[in-house]
PDB file of all heavy atoms in Angstrom:
ATOM      1  N   ARG F 269      10.820  19.233   3.230  1.00 94.00           N
ATOM      2  CA  ARG F 269      10.969  19.324   1.776  1.00 94.00           C
ATOM      3  C   ARG F 269      11.678  18.087   1.248  1.00 94.00           C
ATOM      4  O   ARG F 269      12.803  17.773   1.661  1.00 94.00           O
ATOM      5  CB  ARG F 269      11.771  20.575   1.402  1.00 94.00           C
ATOM      6  CG  ARG F 269      11.822  20.845  -0.107  1.00 94.00           C
ATOM      7  CD  ARG F 269      12.513  22.170  -0.388  1.00 94.00           C
ATOM      8  NE  ARG F 269      13.949  22.094  -0.153  1.00 94.00           N
ATOM      9  CZ  ARG F 269      14.838  21.721  -1.065  1.00 94.00           C
ATOM     10  NH1 ARG F 269      14.441  21.382  -2.285  1.00 94.00           N
ATOM     11  NH2 ARG F 269      16.131  21.694  -0.772  1.00 94.00           N
ATOM     12  N   ILE F 270      11.004  17.361   0.370  1.00 96.00           N
ATOM     13  CA  ILE F 270      11.588  16.166  -0.237  1.00 96.00           C
ATOM     14  C   ILE F 270      12.576  16.588  -1.317  1.00 96.00           C
ATOM     15  O   ILE F 270      12.227  17.322  -2.245  1.00 96.00           O
ATOM     16  CB  ILE F 270      10.489  15.267  -0.820  1.00 96.00           C
ATOM     17  CG1 ILE F 270       9.588  14.743   0.310  1.00 96.00           C
ATOM     18  CG2 ILE F 270      11.092  14.107  -1.604  1.00 96.00           C
ATOM     19  CD1 ILE F 270       8.379  13.975  -0.164  1.00 96.00           C
ATOM     20  N   THR F 271      13.811  16.134  -1.199  1.00 96.00           N
ATOM     21  CA  THR F 271      14.850  16.495  -2.162  1.00 96.00           C
ATOM     22  C   THR F 271      15.194  15.344  -3.110  1.00 96.00           C
ATOM     23  O   THR F 271      15.794  15.573  -4.168  1.00 96.00           O
ATOM     24  CB  THR F 271      16.138  16.939  -1.433  1.00 96.00           C
ATOM     25  OG1 THR F 271      16.592  15.867  -0.580  1.00 96.00           O
ATOM     26  CG2 THR F 271      15.862  18.186  -0.591  1.00 96.00           C
ATOM     27  N   ARG F 272      14.831  14.123  -2.720  1.00 97.00           N
ATOM     28  CA  ARG F 272      15.092  12.967  -3.582  1.00 97.00           C
ATOM     29  C   ARG F 272      14.201  11.816  -3.151  1.00 97.00           C
ATOM     30  O   ARG F 272      13.776  11.741  -2.000  1.00 97.00           O
ATOM     31  CB  ARG F 272      16.566  12.544  -3.487  1.00 97.00           C
ATOM     32  CG  ARG F 272      16.985  11.542  -4.581  1.00 97.00           C
ATOM     33  CD  ARG F 272      18.443  11.163  -4.442  1.00 97.00           C
ATOM     34  NE  ARG F 272      18.649  10.221  -3.350  1.00 97.00           N
ATOM     35  CZ  ARG F 272      19.745  10.179  -2.593  1.00 97.00           C
ATOM     36  NH1 ARG F 272      20.714  11.047  -2.801  1.00 97.00           N
ATOM     37  NH2 ARG F 272      19.867   9.278  -1.634  1.00 97.00           N
ATOM     38  N   GLY F 273      13.908  10.943  -4.088  1.00 97.00           N
ATOM     39  CA  GLY F 273      13.145   9.757  -3.769  1.00 97.00           C
ATOM     40  C   GLY F 273      11.661   9.915  -4.029  1.00 97.00           C
ATOM     41  O   GLY F 273      11.214  10.911  -4.607  1.00 97.00           O
ATOM     42  N   ALA F 274      10.892   8.916  -3.610  1.00 97.00           N
ATOM     43  CA  ALA F 274       9.468   8.879  -3.923  1.00 97.00           C
ATOM     44  C   ALA F 274       8.672   8.290  -2.766  1.00 97.00           C
ATOM     45  O   ALA F 274       9.162   7.452  -2.008  1.00 97.00           O
ATOM     46  CB  ALA F 274       9.223   8.036  -5.179  1.00 97.00           C
ATOM     47  N   ILE F 275       7.415   8.774  -2.651  1.00 98.00           N
ATOM     48  CA  ILE F 275       6.429   8.189  -1.748  1.00 98.00           C
ATOM     49  C   ILE F 275       5.191   7.901  -2.587  1.00 98.00           C
ATOM     50  O   ILE F 275       4.695   8.780  -3.291  1.00 98.00           O
ATOM     51  CB  ILE F 275       6.043   9.148  -0.596  1.00 98.00           C
ATOM     52  CG1 ILE F 275       7.269   9.646   0.147  1.00 98.00           C
ATOM     53  CG2 ILE F 275       5.076   8.458   0.374  1.00 98.00           C
ATOM     54  CD1 ILE F 275       6.958  10.706   1.190  1.00 98.00           C
ATOM     55  N   ARG F 276       4.685   6.662  -2.518  1.00 97.00           N
ATOM     56  CA  ARG F 276       3.502   6.292  -3.279  1.00 97.00           C
ATOM     57  C   ARG F 276       2.490   5.597  -2.369  1.00 97.00           C
ATOM     58  O   ARG F 276       2.870   4.792  -1.516  1.00 97.00           O
ATOM     59  CB  ARG F 276       3.873   5.365  -4.443  1.00 97.00           C
ATOM     60  CG  ARG F 276       4.703   6.037  -5.530  1.00 97.00           C
ATOM     61  CD  ARG F 276       4.986   5.079  -6.687  1.00 97.00           C
ATOM     62  NE  ARG F 276       5.864   3.998  -6.265  1.00 97.00           N
ATOM     63  CZ  ARG F 276       7.208   4.058  -6.306  1.00 97.00           C
ATOM     64  NH1 ARG F 276       7.803   5.160  -6.756  1.00 97.00           N
ATOM     65  NH2 ARG F 276       7.931   3.024  -5.916  1.00 97.00           N
ATOM     66  N   LEU F 277       1.226   5.908  -2.568  1.00 97.00           N
ATOM     67  CA  LEU F 277       0.129   5.236  -1.886  1.00 97.00           C
ATOM     68  C   LEU F 277      -0.727   4.558  -2.944  1.00 97.00           C
ATOM     69  O   LEU F 277      -1.286   5.229  -3.819  1.00 97.00           O
ATOM     70  CB  LEU F 277      -0.716   6.236  -1.089  1.00 97.00           C
ATOM     71  CG  LEU F 277      -1.903   5.639  -0.317  1.00 97.00           C
ATOM     72  CD1 LEU F 277      -1.412   4.731   0.808  1.00 97.00           C
ATOM     73  CD2 LEU F 277      -2.797   6.743   0.240  1.00 97.00           C
ATOM     74  N   ASP F 278      -0.788   3.222  -2.884  1.00 95.00           N
ATOM     75  CA  ASP F 278      -1.500   2.450  -3.904  1.00 95.00           C
ATOM     76  C   ASP F 278      -1.010   2.799  -5.308  1.00 95.00           C
ATOM     77  O   ASP F 278      -1.795   2.881  -6.257  1.00 95.00           O
ATOM     78  CB  ASP F 278      -3.008   2.693  -3.813  1.00 95.00           C
ATOM     79  CG  ASP F 278      -3.605   2.128  -2.535  1.00 95.00           C
ATOM     80  OD1 ASP F 278      -3.124   1.084  -2.065  1.00 95.00           O
ATOM     81  OD2 ASP F 278      -4.541   2.746  -1.997  1.00 95.00           O
ATOM     82  N   GLY F 279       0.285   3.057  -5.428  1.00 95.00           N
ATOM     83  CA  GLY F 279       0.883   3.378  -6.714  1.00 95.00           C
ATOM     84  C   GLY F 279       0.770   4.824  -7.130  1.00 95.00           C
ATOM     85  O   GLY F 279       1.342   5.229  -8.147  1.00 95.00           O
ATOM     86  N   VAL F 280       0.042   5.639  -6.362  1.00 96.00           N
ATOM     87  CA  VAL F 280      -0.135   7.060  -6.688  1.00 96.00           C
ATOM     88  C   VAL F 280       1.010   7.866  -6.075  1.00 96.00           C
ATOM     89  O   VAL F 280       1.202   7.843  -4.853  1.00 96.00           O
ATOM     90  CB  VAL F 280      -1.480   7.591  -6.156  1.00 96.00           C
ATOM     91  CG1 VAL F 280      -1.618   9.084  -6.446  1.00 96.00           C
ATOM     92  CG2 VAL F 280      -2.635   6.805  -6.769  1.00 96.00           C
ATOM     93  N   PRO F 281       1.794   8.601  -6.870  1.00 97.00           N
ATOM     94  CA  PRO F 281       2.885   9.410  -6.320  1.00 97.00           C
ATOM     95  C   PRO F 281       2.341  10.530  -5.427  1.00 97.00           C
ATOM     96  O   PRO F 281       1.409  11.246  -5.800  1.00 97.00           O
ATOM     97  CB  PRO F 281       3.571   9.995  -7.564  1.00 97.00           C
ATOM     98  CG  PRO F 281       3.146   9.107  -8.695  1.00 97.00           C
ATOM     99  CD  PRO F 281       1.760   8.659  -8.347  1.00 97.00           C
ATOM    100  N   LEU F 282       2.942  10.685  -4.240  1.00 96.00           N
ATOM    101  CA  LEU F 282       2.490  11.711  -3.297  1.00 96.00           C
ATOM    102  C   LEU F 282       3.407  12.930  -3.249  1.00 96.00           C
ATOM    103  O   LEU F 282       3.011  13.969  -2.720  1.00 96.00           O
ATOM    104  CB  LEU F 282       2.411  11.118  -1.881  1.00 96.00           C
ATOM    105  CG  LEU F 282       1.507   9.911  -1.659  1.00 96.00           C
ATOM    106  CD1 LEU F 282       1.566   9.505  -0.189  1.00 96.00           C
ATOM    107  CD2 LEU F 282       0.073  10.199  -2.078  1.00 96.00           C
ATOM    108  N   THR F 283       4.605  12.800  -3.794  1.00 92.00           N
ATOM    109  CA  THR F 283       5.651  13.789  -3.568  1.00 92.00           C
ATOM    110  C   THR F 283       5.212  15.215  -3.867  1.00 92.00           C
ATOM    111  O   THR F 283       5.537  16.148  -3.108  1.00 92.00           O
ATOM    112  CB  THR F 283       6.890  13.453  -4.418  1.00 92.00           C
ATOM    113  OG1 THR F 283       7.271  12.098  -4.162  1.00 92.00           O
ATOM    114  CG2 THR F 283       8.045  14.377  -4.074  1.00 92.00           C
TER     115      THR F 283
END
Side-chain angles (χ1 to χ4, degrees):
R269 187 174 72 88
I270 296 173
T271 58
R272 193 180 76 213
I275 307 174
R276 292 183 293 272
L277 180 67
D278 293 326
V280 177
L282 302 181
T283 307

